[in-house]
Amino acid sequence: MVAPTPTLPGTAPMLTTLAGLLPSDLAVAPLRRWAVSSQQRARRNAMLAATECATRRAVRDEVDSFLVRTQTAVATVADVRQIAAHG
């Protein structure tokens, strides 16, 4: 059983608009907006995290290649010194 809608002066347009909505619609609408905005924030955070991971990976690869080049150069100098000392 539905309670009659009160009629107050100046509230008829608002009550008419709200009367077309069920209470569940009023409660569900903010939840639906929250779900969408939450998903959008999560997707943005995931994109930022992926970008950060890719940047760190690139820096790590660059450091690794530098260390390999440096160690090779150090080893070459050490080999030359050893050969020169025993040579």
Side-chain angles (χ1 to χ4, degrees), residues 11 15 41 47 52 65 69 71 77:
T11 60
L15 292 176
R41 282 191 306 271
M47 287 189 298
E52 181 66 24
S65 66
R69 288 191 315 267
Q71 288 173 352
V77 169

Side-chain angles (χ1 to χ4, degrees), residues 12-81:
M14 180 181 72
L15 292 176
T16 303
T17 303
L18 292 177
L21 298 175
L22 298 174
S24 62
D25 290 339
L26 292 173
V28 171
L31 293 176
R32 288 186 178 154
R33 284 192 304 268
W34 171 83
V36 170
S37 65
S38 177
Q39 175 64 27
Q40 289 172 342
R41 282 191 306 271
R43 189 173 49 220
R44 184 177 187 279
N45 288 340
M47 287 189 298
L48 290 172
T51 301
E52 181 66 24
C53 286
T55 301
R56 287 182 181 195
R57 188 178 313 116
V59 169
R60 188 176 54 241
D61 290 345
E62 185 179 345
V63 169
D64 285 345
S65 66
F66 171 77
L67 291 176
V68 167
R69 288 191 315 267
T70 304
Q71 288 173 352
T72 303
V74 170
T76 304
V77 169
D79 291 342
V80 169
R81 287 183 182 158

